[in-house]
Amino acid sequence: MKLQRMNRRALALGALAVSGALALTACGSDDTGTGNGGDATSSAQAGNIKCDNAKGQLLADGSSAQKNAMDAWVKQFTAACQGVQINYKGGGSGAGVTAFTQGTVAFAGSDSALKPEEVTASKKVCGGGQGIDLPMVGGPIAVAYNVEGVDNLVLDAPTLAKIFSDKIKNWNDPAIAKLNPEAKLPDLKIQAFHRSDESGTTDNFTKYLIATTPDNWKYEGGKAWTAPGGQSASGSSGVAQQVKQTAGAISYMELSYAKDASVVAIDTGASEPVQASVETATTAIADAKVVGTGKDLSLELNYGTKADGAYPITLVTYEIVCDKGNKAETLPTVKAFLGYMASEDGQKILAENDYAPMPDDIITKVRETVAGLS
C-alpha cells in the first residue's frame, strides 16, 4: 500500500512536468476554507497574482471534490491580495448549486454541469444573464477500500455495480476472486459507503456504471444516491473517514482523499488494469468534448474508454458563475480570483494536491470567459 501511494505521488509530479498541453484532474475536504490576507512571502507565486481591485469578503459553496485545491488557491490569493477574505464551504455540489440559484454565494463549485432547470433558476439572480459552467479542475474518482492483506485489488464495472447495489456482499465472492486470482481474499462482509449529500462525485460515479454496465446498474443517475443497500456518510471527507476506520469498507472519492487508503485498479478491457492517478485520468479526459453553448463550457466525458492507461471513472469540477449581472460589490473579486485559478500559476498548484491542470485549449477559453464577466 505504501508503494502504491508513492507511485501515485510520483505520477502526479510527473504529470505536472508535462502538464500544460495535456492535463486534467480533481479533489477536496469539507471544512470551511477561509483566507484573510497573510504573509505574502509564503508563496513564490504571490507576486504574479493580479488582485485587480479585489476587496472584501467572497462567499462560495459547492463541490467537496475541489476543496483541497480551493484551500490552496485561497491561501495563495489572500496572501497576495491583502484585505480579501474568501470563504468556500465544500458542502457538496448540490448545496453549491442551490446556494448559487438562491443568490447567497458569488459562485459555486459543481462536479456536474447545470441542468436546464438550474440555468432557468439562475436567471433570477443573474440580472440580464445566466449561470455558466467553467471547467477548472478534473480528476480521477478513486475507489478506496480497507481489506487487510489485500494491496492490489482489481475490479471491473459489473463487479463494482454489484458491490454498490448490495448484490455482492462478501470480499471472497467468486466474482472478486476471479479478477484477483493471487489475492488472499478474506471471508469478510463488504461495507459499501456512498454519499449522503447530493454530490457531483456520486453523479459521475453512477454515470460510469450506467455507461459501462447498464445490465447491472438499473438505477437513476444524478447527484442523489438511489441504489439499495450500503451505508452513507457526508462529503468526500466523510466517506474517506469511514473507509479508513471500517474493516471491509469500500467507497468512491476523489484521489486526494484516498492518500492513506488502498485504491482499486479498474479492469476496463485494456491490456492492463488501470490505477487512479493524475496521469491516467488525464489520458481519459483529454478527449472530452465541449458541449456547452454560448459562454458555457460544459464537457462530455467518455466513461466507457478502453484505451490503455486511461482511467475511466473521472470528473470535471466546474465553477458556476453569472455571465452577466454579477453583484457590483463582488464582481472584481470574483474575476480576480477565478482569473488566478485559471492562470498558469493557479493551475500548477493542482498537481501538488493530486489534481492536474486543465488542457490548454479549454483553460484558454475559461480565461477569456472570466475576463468578460460583467
Side-chain angles (χ1 to χ4, degrees):
M1 185 170 72
K2 182 177 180 182
L3 180 59
Q4 188 181 57
R5 293 197 301 269
M6 290 174 65
N7 287 340
R8 292 204 307 270
R9 191 63 179 166
L11 285 171
L13 293 173
L16 176 58
V18 298
S19 57
L22 292 176
L24 266 155
T25 310
C27 305
S29 150
D30 295 286
D31 298 325
T32 299
T34 60
N36 58 351
D39 183 4
T41 63
S42 66
S43 169
Q45 301 168 344
N48 296 328
I49 295 174
K50 297 179 180 180
C51 299
D52 290 336
N53 298 315
K55 59 183 179 180
Q57 186 178 52
L58 195 65
L59 300 179
D61 194 4
S63 167
S64 64
Q66 68 170 1
K67 184 62 164 57
N68 289 340
M70 188 64 72
D71 287 348
W73 279 326
V74 168
K75 180 179 179 180
Q76 299 292 341
F77 187 80
T78 55
C81 303
Q82 297 292 318
V84 174
Q85 294 182 325
I86 299 175
N87 184 321
Y88 180 84
K89 181 181 178 183
S93 297
V97 172
T98 297
F100 179 75
T101 56
Q102 292 178 346
T104 60
V105 295
F107 72 92
S110 177
D111 307 321
S112 300
L114 289 170
K115 297 177 180 178
E117 61 269 25
E118 293 168 340
V119 173
T120 299
S122 73
K123 293 178 180 180
K124 298 179 181 179
V125 297
C126 301
Q130 65 181 47
I132 55 173
D133 302 286
L134 302 179
M136 198 72 75
V137 185
I141 300 173
V143 180
Y145 66 97
N146 180 352
V147 181
E148 187 175 359
V150 180
D151 291 336
N152 297 291
L153 189 70
V154 175
L155 296 174
D156 59 12
T159 308
L160 280 170
K162 293 173 184 176
I163 287 172
F164 280 94
S165 60
D166 207 31
K167 294 182 177 68
I168 291 180
K169 301 177 183 292
N170 243 48
W171 279 107
N172 62 354
D173 187 275
I176 301 176
K178 184 177 180 180
L179 291 164
N180 300 273
E182 298 181 5
K184 296 181 179 179
L185 298 168
D187 182 7
L188 176 67
K189 182 181 178 181
I190 294 174
Q191 307 281 355
F193 285 89
H194 55 263
R195 292 279 291 270
S196 60
D197 53 320
E198 289 199 352
S199 162
T201 312
T202 293
D203 189 18
N204 284 275
F205 180 66
T206 55
K207 280 179 178 176
Y208 161 73
L209 296 176
I210 291 168
T212 55
T213 184
D215 290 344
N216 295 297
W217 193 264
K218 299 182 181 297
Y219 312 102
E220 292 184 8
K223 296 185 181 75
W225 185 262
T226 58
Q231 304 174 65
S232 64
S234 178
S236 297
S237 61
V239 293
Q241 182 62 29
Q242 290 298 329
V243 170
K244 183 177 180 180
Q245 68 187 22
T246 307
I250 185 170
S251 189
Y252 55 91
M253 64 197 71
E254 297 74 36
L255 185 60
S256 68
Y257 287 102
K259 288 180 178 179
D260 298 321
S262 295
V263 174
V264 170
I266 303 298
D267 184 346
T268 65
S271 60
E272 295 181 0
V274 187
Q275 290 279 0
S277 72
V278 166
E279 185 179 68
T280 58
T282 294
T283 301
I285 302 174
D287 64 351
K289 299 177 181 178
V290 176
V291 293
T293 58
K295 295 183 178 180
D296 186 271
L297 298 175
S298 55
L299 304 176
E300 181 177 84
L301 303 175
N302 179 13
Y303 299 102
T305 181
K306 294 183 180 180
D308 285 346
Y311 185 79
I313 318 176
T314 57
L315 59 74
V316 168
T317 299
Y318 301 95
E319 311 313 328
I320 296 171
V321 66
C322 296
D323 59 351
K324 299 178 182 179
N326 288 278
K327 295 179 180 178
E329 61 269 26
T330 58
L331 178 60
T333 309
V334 167
K335 292 181 68 172
F337 185 52
L338 294 182
Y340 163 62
M341 291 162 60
S343 71
E344 183 177 350
D345 285 342
Q347 291 285 295
K348 282 181 179 179
I349 283 179
L350 297 178
E352 300 171 11
N353 294 276
D354 289 320
Y355 299 77
M358 298 296 287
D360 275 354
D361 57 342
I362 292 176
I363 204 64
T364 297
K365 294 177 182 176
V366 170
R367 291 168 186 159
E368 292 171 353
T369 303
V370 169
L373 297 178
S374 62

